[in-house]
Amino acid sequence: MKNIKSAFIFITLITLLTFGFIQYKWQTFKAIEKTAIEVKTTEDRLENIAGLWFDQYTEQFKDWLTPFSYKIKEARIDNIELLDQKNGYVQVDYAYLPFSSNEQLIFNHGGLMQNDDGWYKQQVVLKFEKTAKGYQAKEEMRPVNYQIQTDPNIMTEGKKPTQYAIEKDCDYTILDHKLWVTYDHGDNFTEVPIDYEKVTYDPNYSYGETVPEGSYIIKEDYTAFLYVDQGSLNLIYSYDQGKSWETTTVASNEHYYLRARFLSKTDNQFYVLFSTDKAMSAESHSLMKSTDGIHFESVNYQDPEQRVMTYAFFSDDNIGYVAYRNNDSREHLSFYRTEDGGQTFTPITFELKEISFMGDSITPYIQVDRIYKEDEQIHLIVGQGENGDYGYNSAHYISNDGIHFTFLEEVDDRPALAG
């Protein structure tokens, strides 16, 4: 009996030590950066070097001591393309199979799941330079950034926008891997000192080249962008048109699913509504508010629907709106208004615009995609949802009281390309 007890204590001790060791390794894990890997080889063919680099880079994520936020089962190369032999640029198209459904894993590795097989696709452009022992990746970037860097038809002088047209006096653009804002319709630009990929972050997609609608404010007296950094939702802001910038943390939780994030500023309040979790086609959300734009506190918020949110906006102190995805044929919107700062909501309904199409009467505009306030009126841009096929149009509605909306016009709300 004594031997059994001793064996039990020994096994328990070993188990605790093992668990503690694993926890320590997980907490101290630091991924080797793509540009920190040196390929020791006598090989000079860049495509082969890229293949060896890939094996070294992905091997670190397969170890049994790798935390679930990084751990993968397998990785493969789909294609290697030599872009510039002279300067050492190679594009690697690859895929990886996550070890688990950990949301942070997708954030750390990026990529887009294009099929139902669980594999995530990713692309990277690397610049290799010769070393004494072989080659090292000295630069890494996305293919679109390489194209902007090298294509003379894309590059322009100075800091002018190249991707989307500047359509307002106060607007933004992304160029040279940086985020810029303008207050004079593009005559001059000021850099926002933040990694633009943190601002454009979307857990569902590999590439984000536009800032999510509703996640930023650009005005002469206040400019701010929400951004995601290692599971935290943060805010970078300026009160002097970009002469100085400050940052603050809105919410921090490595398990948050930060797809949707919406920023509003009223006379006396700042509001941030964001997604925290997802399950199939449902999403849950949280609401934070602040009186100074620096210190945020949680609001007793309850989603009126467990759907994917398309937009959220507070037009005045305590008065706000939320809208959800609407892919079915029901002739009403998933659109709600609050008058108590997000604690309770009332559905907003109004007559949807009917269109005569091929002899039939249809109501294609069924999903609120954007909400804003202008000239003391509340404006809605109502789109067609993911399954819409009535061209690229949306419906523009306005309201004087924020409750009763009337159709104004059909619009093409897509961002215009520069040039």
Side-chain angles (χ1 to χ4, degrees), residues 4 8 32 43 52 96 103 116 147 151 190 195 212 214 217 225 279 298 302 312 314 320 325-326 335 355 398:
I4 295 176
F8 176 77
I32 302 173
E43 175 75 56
L52 295 172
Y96 66 90
E103 296 285 358
D116 294 331
Q147 185 182 11
D151 190 338
T190 300
D195 182 351
I217 296 171
F225 292 84
S298 179
Q302 185 67 40
F314 279 80
R325 182 177 295 171
N326 191 1
F335 179 49
I355 304 293
I398 59 171

Side-chain angles (χ1 to χ4, degrees), residues 338-403:
T338 180
E339 297 182 355
D340 57 13
Q343 297 184 55
T344 61
F345 286 86
T346 302
I348 298 291
T349 61
F350 50 85
E351 184 177 352
L352 299 182
K353 176 65 175 176
E354 290 191 358
I355 304 293
S356 179
F357 182 69
M358 299 182 66
D360 294 325
S361 180
I362 62 173
T363 54
Y365 308 123
I366 60 171
Q367 174 179 291
V368 176
D369 290 334
R370 190 154 62 94
I371 312 165
Y372 62 96
K373 185 177 182 180
E374 188 175 275
D375 298 328
E376 297 304 313
Q377 293 179 315
I378 302 300
H379 296 251
L380 304 180
I381 301 299
V382 182
Q384 302 176 46
E386 289 188 332
N387 299 324
D389 56 5
Y390 182 65
Y392 296 105
N393 285 351
S394 297
H396 183 185
Y397 289 81
I398 59 171
S399 173
N400 292 318
D401 61 7
I403 300 173

Side-chain angles (χ1 to χ4, degrees), residues 62-79:
K62 301 175 185 178
D63 191 273
W64 70 282
L65 290 174
T66 302
F68 289 122
S69 56
Y70 284 93
K71 192 173 181 62
I72 64 176
K73 291 181 181 178
E74 299 178 59
R76 69 167 189 256
I77 293 176
D78 291 335
N79 185 56

Side-chain angles (χ1 to χ4, degrees), residues 226-227 233-237 246-251 293-296:
L226 290 171
Y227 68 94
L233 182 61
N234 307 287
L235 186 70
I236 183 169
Y237 60 93
E246 300 289 341
T247 62
T248 188
T249 297
V250 177
I294 302 173
H295 305 95
F296 284 83

